[in-house]
Amino acid sequence: MRKLTIKDVAKHAGVSTATISRVLNGSGYVSEDVRRRVLASVKELNYRPNAIARSLKQEKSRSIGMILPDMSNPYFMTIARTIQQRLVAEGYRLLFMDSDENPDKEREALDALLSNRVEGLLLAGTGGNKEQLRQLIGSGIPVVLVDRCVPGVSADLVMEDNRGPVRQAMEYLVSAGHRHIGMIHGPKTISTALERYEAAVRALQEAGLQVGEEYVYSGDFSRKSGKQAIQKLMKLPVPPTAVFSANNEMTFGLYLGLQEMGIGLDEVEVVSFGDLDFSSLFKHRLSVIMQHPESIGDSAAGILLDKLLHQKSAMENRIIIPKFVQKNKLSL
Amino acid sequence: MRKLTIKDVAKHAGVSTATISRVLNGSGYVSEDVRRRVLASVKELNYRPNAIARSLKQEKSRSIGMILPDMSNPYFMTIARTIQQRLVAEGYRLLFMDSDENPDKEREALDALLSNRVEGLLLAGTGGNKEQLRQLIGSGIPVVLVDRCVPGVSADLVMEDNRGPVRQAMEYLVSAGHRHIGMIHGPKTISTALERYEAAVRALQEAGLQVGEEYVYSGDFSRKSGKQAIQKLMKLPVPPTAVFSANNEMTFGLYLGLQEMGIGLDEVEVVSFGDLDFSSLFKHRLSVIMQHPESIGDSAAGILLDKLLHQKSAMENRIIIPKFVQKNKLSL
DNA sequence: TTGTACGCGTTATCAT
DNA sequence: ATGATAACGCGTACAA
């Protein structure tokens, strides 16, 4: 089966290529008679327009780039899913890449997307590649930062408030009587990690609690690092009675770690930024700062589409407020 | 910032466009002197070749399509992640779409991918769109079916053996003394669901057990349907003492359902096709048929790349054998 | 070693 | 209402 082009269809239908194009795009006038003949030929030959040629001619790729840090984190995948659906519904295709929290990979992804002339970019960044991002934004391509801001780069932004809920969570822990609170944080190059860290430390200080350095563990948002963290914390001379974990994956790791050490999962009071959707299945003393990935995705896609479809240019910052929920109060 | 083309670079470097192209693609001879000048110009202007034009000219899109049923199922996302990494490493880009187990969406995705002239396709199908798939394969585009075959469509295939492990699992349940075994299956249009179903029923029959219709629930591979299933099963006059669930998400739902009904999670012996990676955290009597999404992804990408890069044409069927593991024996 | 010019499959402009 | 044709940005055969 040879490569089928618009010319073949034109020949088959006995009209010019221009007419085929007009029928397929609904542009210009075409008599009902000819239209039917063309459509018949298209169907018979099973012709499908070449999107690449169309893109070149129109100087529009109809594609959007998205770079997320972790394709195996349900939080990001929910965002991805939401965005994907909205964009496809509007006739865009999504070029979706995974940076793996690695600025180098992120940079490569960025390069690839630019070569493909994406019309817009959605990014949950690693914190690096600031210069490229600035250039990119300067060049007029709409960029929407998702979940995380990139300090020094000003762009549209959809994220969740990190500070407020963390403060609330810490106040809860203190009021519950905890005096030794462990902290498992993410890489400080990532804005969400930094904000959660700062807010946590400040809230405790204001509550009159000193946070010993040995109670703070710097993880990398991975399950594995959460596990290592809790195992280190629980071996302290005075182990923490409560722990704050800065994301869902590390919290998961935390519980796996406790389990492995033979420590009851409900012996430690835990606050997690981000949900563990299976937590009702085991005994815990878990409170969660509930995130809203669907809202994030929806807002981000909405803002991007506004710029793409309606040339909106004002910059938007949408902050979604996560809710602090004591799951143990609900489920046990 | 205007749109930058190869001509601008040529002008800036004082050479012809052909030379620029040669430098950038490492094709043909270019003097070291000129090469340096060109690269300097490229960097200075921050020029990036237009992948769309390149694709058109070369009649190669350098992109691969992938359609998976569920972007929120960790099993599929692990496959996706693996494939994505391998393909990107070889210079391909991955157009990744989500069919949501819906043949209509799958069809749209297929159309979009064909319009984009993907050079290969990876598909975990819904079971529909057979005619299109046959055409597609006939047209010479390498297609690798992933995780699921599509009956009546012959193509390369990487999947896991469904029958063997299920038989093993059923024999285990029977030998453990269970006489009332519930079954939660997926849609029979999906090959994995059908195979698991048939194998389960046959194994029980051969063990001399009649499976009452009321013990069989037809789910849709979703968490929600697993929950509904168990809630129905446990309300039977004689509730099952063991349940077989045909995928990970339904097993998750199963436990959520038990939890909601106030039934101890370890009161029912469960066999799940596909792992629950958090199961060590709660009391269970769970056995798992462990799948190997990384192997699936790796093999699938490998086969596709062989065809793409080395024109291999022989058809391959790779069957991976999942291991039956009694998790309770390990973790409790 | 380098430059000229054509063509990839479309869409859009200008005739008719 | 329809057709001829230029142009989108690039790679490459051919010429020099």
Side-chain angles (χ1 to χ4, degrees):
Chain A
M1 200 192 282
R2 251 203 67 265
K3 218 138 270 190
L4 216 51
T5 81
I6 202 172
K7 284 185 192 168
D8 303 305
V9 184
K11 201 167 295 172
H12 186 273
V15 295
S16 77
T17 61
T19 300
I20 307 289
S21 176
R22 278 191 278 254
V23 170
L24 261 29
N25 297 296
S27 60
Y29 294 91
V30 177
S31 72
E32 196 46 42
D33 183 37
V34 172
R35 153 178 243 89
R36 261 196 294 272
R37 224 169 55 231
V38 168
L39 289 176
S41 293
V42 166
K43 190 150 286 176
E44 189 181 335
L45 299 178
N46 195 25
Y47 166 73
R48 210 180 298 278
N50 183 325
I52 297 174
R54 174 181 290 174
S55 288
L56 180 61
K57 172 61 188 172
Q58 297 189 147
E59 308 183 43
K60 294 215 163 134
S61 66
R62 300 287 291 167
S63 63
I64 306 293
M66 172 161 75
I67 306 178
L68 297 181
D70 185 358
M71 281 192 31
S72 48
N73 187 325
Y75 173 71
F76 287 114
M77 286 317 295
T78 305
I79 292 180
R81 187 186 168 81
T82 314
I83 288 176
Q84 145 97 304
Q85 286 171 352
R86 295 243 358 219
L87 292 186
V88 167
E90 296 291 341
Y92 287 90
R93 53 185 159 278
L94 189 61
L95 268 45
F96 175 21
M97 323 216 59
D98 182 337
S99 71
D100 217 15
E101 298 287 14
N102 177 340
D104 294 332
K105 281 199 194 175
E106 179 178 275
R107 185 189 178 135
E108 282 171 30
L110 235 31
D111 276 347
L113 293 177
L114 285 181
S115 284
N116 283 284
R117 300 298 189 263
V118 291
E119 296 179 39
L121 177 68
L122 295 150
L123 173 71
T126 59
N129 301 309
K130 300 189 186 190
E131 194 43 56
Q132 289 88 334
L133 286 174
R134 270 192 290 263
Q135 271 187 26
L136 213 155
I137 294 164
S139 80
I141 297 181
V143 173
V144 179
L145 300 180
V146 176
D147 179 60
R148 308 166 171 187
C149 69
V150 181
V153 174
S154 92
D156 292 73
L157 173 59
V158 181
M159 58 173 286
E160 309 198 62
D161 177 33
N162 291 296
R163 302 180 194 277
V166 167
R167 156 171 300 277
Q168 205 179 336
M170 291 304 150
E171 285 167 358
Y172 160 73
L173 288 180
V174 171
S175 75
H178 295 286
R179 290 299 171 265
H180 297 277
I181 300 176
M183 314 253 241
I184 310 178
H185 291 292
K188 299 213 179 60
T189 44
I190 298 173
S191 72
T192 48
L194 183 62
E195 289 169 16
R196 292 167 199 175
Y197 171 73
E198 288 177 348
V201 170
R202 182 164 314 165
L204 289 184
Q205 282 176 344
E206 289 180 14
L209 232 64
Q210 281 306 37
V211 185
E213 216 177 278
E214 67 275 24
Y215 287 95
V216 178
Y217 187 98
S218 271
D220 62 5
F221 273 170
S222 76
R223 200 173 296 179
K224 201 172 141 200
S225 78
K227 188 169 166 181
Q228 291 168 339
I230 194 67
Q231 297 191 329
K232 193 168 164 204
L233 291 174
M234 296 311 285
K235 281 179 193 142
L236 288 176
V238 183
T241 57
V243 174
F244 168 63
S245 160
N247 88 334
N248 53 353
E249 285 288 317
M250 292 195 301
T251 304
F252 191 168
L254 182 161
Y255 280 113
L256 292 175
L258 285 178
Q259 164 74 25
E260 200 175 281
M261 296 177 88
I263 299 176
L265 303 181
D266 56 352
E267 284 183 33
V268 180
E269 173 125 35
V270 176
V271 170
S272 168
F273 207 111
D275 196 13
L276 248 40
D277 54 8
F278 52 82
S279 60
S280 68
L281 298 180
F282 61 91
K283 277 209 163 196
H284 59 238
R285 276 154 66 211
L286 174 64
S287 301
V288 162
I289 296 170
M290 298 288 279
Q291 297 185 267
H292 304 281
E294 301 86 357
S295 305
I296 295 274
D298 225 59
S299 282
I303 291 177
L304 191 60
L305 286 171
D306 264 356
K307 310 219 157 188
L308 256 24
L309 267 33
H310 317 124
Q311 336 274 26
K312 282 213 192 173
S313 62
M315 213 161 76
E316 282 208 53
N317 272 11
R318 235 172 266 179
I319 313 282
I320 291 164
I321 312 288
K323 250 199 356 216
F324 177 65
V325 175
Q326 283 176 251
K327 295 190 103 182
N328 43 350
K329 284 281 172 61
L330 301 177
S331 60
L332 295 185
Chain B
M1 200 192 283
R2 249 202 71 264
K3 218 139 270 191
L4 217 49
T5 81
I6 203 174
K7 284 187 194 167
D8 301 306
V9 185
K11 200 166 296 173
H12 187 272
V15 295
S16 78
T17 61
T19 300
I20 306 290
S21 176
R22 279 191 277 256
V23 170
L24 260 29
N25 297 296
S27 60
Y29 295 92
V30 178
S31 72
E32 196 48 43
D33 182 37
V34 172
R35 151 178 245 88
R36 263 197 292 272
R37 224 169 53 230
V38 168
L39 289 176
S41 291
V42 166
K43 190 150 285 177
E44 188 181 336
L45 297 179
N46 194 27
Y47 167 72
R48 208 180 300 275
N50 183 326
I52 297 173
R54 173 180 289 175
S55 289
L56 182 61
K57 169 64 189 169
Q58 301 190 143
E59 307 183 42
K60 295 216 163 134
S61 65
R62 301 287 292 168
S63 62
I64 306 292
M66 173 162 73
I67 307 179
L68 297 181
D70 186 358
M71 282 190 34
S72 48
N73 187 327
Y75 173 71
F76 288 113
M77 287 317 296
T78 305
I79 292 180
R81 186 188 170 81
T82 313
I83 289 178
Q84 145 97 303
Q85 285 171 351
R86 297 250 347 227
L87 292 186
V88 166
E90 295 293 341
Y92 287 90
R93 52 186 160 279
L94 189 62
L95 268 43
F96 175 22
M97 322 215 60
D98 182 338
S99 71
D100 217 13
E101 297 287 16
N102 177 340
D104 294 333
K105 280 198 194 174
E106 180 178 273
R107 184 189 180 135
E108 282 172 30
L110 235 30
D111 276 346
L113 293 177
L114 285 182
S115 286
N116 282 285
R117 298 298 187 265
V118 291
E119 295 179 38
L121 177 67
L122 295 150
L123 172 70
T126 59
N129 301 307
K130 301 190 185 188
E131 194 42 55
Q132 289 89 336
L133 286 174
R134 271 192 289 264
Q135 272 187 25
L136 213 156
I137 294 164
S139 81
I141 299 182
V143 173
V144 180
L145 299 180
V146 176
D147 179 60
R148 309 167 171 186
C149 69
V150 181
V153 174
S154 93
D156 292 74
L157 172 61
V158 181
M159 56 172 288
E160 309 198 63
D161 176 34
N162 291 295
R163 302 180 194 276
V166 167
R167 156 172 301 276
Q168 207 179 333
M170 290 304 147
E171 285 166 359
Y172 161 72
L173 288 181
V174 171
S175 75
H178 295 286
R179 290 300 171 263
H180 297 277
I181 300 176
M183 314 253 242
I184 311 179
H185 291 293
K188 299 213 178 61
T189 45
I190 299 172
S191 73
T192 48
L194 183 62
E195 289 168 15
R196 292 166 199 175
Y197 170 73
E198 289 176 348
V201 169
R202 181 164 316 166
L204 289 184
Q205 281 175 346
E206 288 178 13
L209 233 65
Q210 281 306 35
V211 185
E213 215 178 280
E214 67 274 24
Y215 287 96
V216 178
Y217 186 98
S218 270
D220 62 3
F221 273 170
S222 75
R223 199 173 297 181
K224 202 172 141 201
S225 78
K227 187 168 167 182
Q228 289 168 339
I230 194 67
Q231 297 192 329
K232 193 169 163 202
L233 291 173
M234 297 310 285
K235 281 181 193 143
L236 287 176
V238 183
T241 57
V243 175
F244 169 61
S245 160
N247 89 334
N248 55 352
E249 285 289 315
M250 293 194 301
T251 305
F252 192 169
L254 182 161
Y255 281 113
L256 292 175
L258 286 179
Q259 163 74 24
E260 200 176 280
M261 295 176 88
I263 299 176
L265 303 182
D266 57 351
E267 285 184 32
V268 180
E269 173 124 36
V270 176
V271 170
S272 168
F273 207 112
D275 195 12
L276 247 41
D277 54 8
F278 51 82
S279 60
S280 68
L281 298 181
F282 61 92
K283 279 210 162 192
H284 59 239
R285 278 154 65 211
L286 173 65
S287 301
V288 162
I289 296 171
M290 298 287 279
Q291 299 185 265
H292 304 281
E294 301 86 357
S295 305
I296 295 272
D298 225 58
S299 282
I303 291 178
L304 192 60
L305 286 171
D306 265 356
K307 312 221 154 189
L308 257 24
L309 266 34
H310 316 124
Q311 338 272 26
K312 282 214 192 173
S313 63
M315 213 162 75
E316 284 209 53
N317 271 11
R318 236 173 266 180
I319 312 283
I320 291 164
I321 312 287
K323 251 200 354 219
F324 177 65
V325 175
Q326 282 176 251
K327 294 192 105 179
N328 43 349
K329 286 279 172 60
L330 301 177
S331 61
L332 292 186

